[in-house]
Amino acid sequence: MQATSQHPTLHAPRSRGETAALDRMLRNSLASFPFDLQTRLVDARTVQDVYEIGVAMLARIPGTVGIRIFQRNDRGELIVVHAWHSPLAKSSGVSNEDLGQVVHKRWIETHGVGRSLHEFARPFADPQHPAWLMVPMLFGDELIGAIALERR
């Protein structure tokens, strides 16, 4: 079909080869994500730079509409030290305190009989807040913070 100013151009559906190539490209770009992040973090001069670079990289992951970075304070509470929300998405009704409590509760449960830090260290979604992917941050055996990603 010929495009005119009144009609949009119709594109032919992608072939299987084109779709497979696109899938490989996306998988490869996500597979290299940790290395890309590490390469960019080399340029960070301050903790604030680390937060901004990390958030900018995480915001590039398709479907990510919000990011909150938590750090433990002197009382052991998880507090938000950096946040980003897409201007194109409706703001989440989940508070920083709610998300911090989700991680803290899981941290406490991890110390039960038969539980391990390896269980805790994996990213997880809480049933009460399924749109949020929680990524605990550990230094050795110590919880130092978490990253929360809101996904659509």
Side-chain angles (χ1 to χ4, degrees), residues 97-136:
E97 292 77 21
D98 288 344
L99 293 175
Q101 284 300 314
V102 166
V103 175
H104 183 74
K105 179 181 174 208
R106 185 174 165 115
W107 174 247
I108 297 301
E109 290 171 353
T110 298
H111 290 85
V113 176
R115 305 293 297 267
S116 77
L117 287 177
H118 295 290
E119 255 180 75
F120 175 76
R122 292 186 181 102
F124 68 95
D126 185 72
Q128 292 181 337
H129 309 293
W132 287 89
L133 177 66
M134 307 301 295
V135 184

Side-chain angles (χ1 to χ4, degrees), residues 7-65:
H7 302 290
T9 303
L10 297 178
H11 297 283
R14 285 192 177 104
S15 71
R16 278 197 176 157
E18 290 172 321
T19 301
L22 181 60
D23 287 344
R24 275 193 307 278
M25 182 193 73
L26 289 173
R27 263 196 312 277
N28 290 339
S29 66
L30 290 176
S32 69
F33 183 84
F35 304 108
D36 294 341
L37 178 60
Q38 185 176 17
T39 300
R40 292 183 187 207
L41 287 176
V42 169
D43 296 330
R45 300 288 178 240
T46 66
V47 172
Q48 188 64 29
D49 289 347
V50 170
Y51 295 152
E52 290 174 7
I53 291 167
V55 165
M57 292 288 294
L58 291 167
R60 292 175 39 204
I61 298 173
T64 301
V65 296

